[in-house]
Amino acid sequence: MTLTTVLCPLDFSVASAPLVRYATTLAAATGAELRLLHVLEAQPELPMAGLARPLDLDIALQLANYRLLAEQEGVAVSTAIVQGDAATEIVAEARRHPADLILIGAHGRTGLTRFLMGSTAEAVVRTAPCATLLVKNCQADEYRQSA
């Protein structure tokens, strides 16, 4: 299997930095483009909805920082910010910008928490048009390196 595009959705949790390092390493090793994606989920309307909120600017800045880190490793990177349901938009992005692999963080919720909150990663795995790799939330040096 040849990888040309790796889609890496980010929620900017503590798991995001190790996930981007993992995705960068994979993209660098295969020569694939890394596509970083953030989904803005629906929020209550603000009185001045037409103006950019400080949170939106913070998200764009975080995405730009991750892009810079990956580019410093010689990886071609593109970014996108979309709005909607996270799982739906991740799968739609994999179709819009054809991905060979979705590399997504798995928070490891189980039981009642998963039932009440749902699992974006699980929904993506079930509906993705391409292979999906779930990456557990752990330190970057805990990932086993292949020879």
Side-chain angles (χ1 to χ4, degrees), residues 13 15 27 35 49-50 61 71 76 79 87 93 99 102 107 119 137:
S13 67
R35 183 147 180 94
L61 182 61
E71 287 176 338
T79 61
E93 184 69 15
I102 299 172
H107 292 286
S119 171
N137 180 13

Side-chain angles (χ1 to χ4, degrees), residues 1 3-4 21 24 36 45 60 82 85-86 89 99 112 115 125 132 139:
M1 174 173 158
L3 294 179
T4 56
R21 284 192 296 271
T24 298
L36 302 175
E45 289 297 318
V82 296
D85 171 70
E89 291 303 320
L112 183 60
F115 176 74
V125 168
T132 305
Q139 298 299 320

Side-chain angles (χ1 to χ4, degrees), residues 12 38 40 43 50-65 81:
F12 301 120
H38 179 72
L40 293 169
Q43 298 178 17
L51 300 175
R53 298 175 303 218
L55 180 61
D56 293 344
L57 298 174
D58 187 48
I59 287 168
L61 182 61
Q62 288 181 67
L63 205 54
N65 286 334
I81 299 174

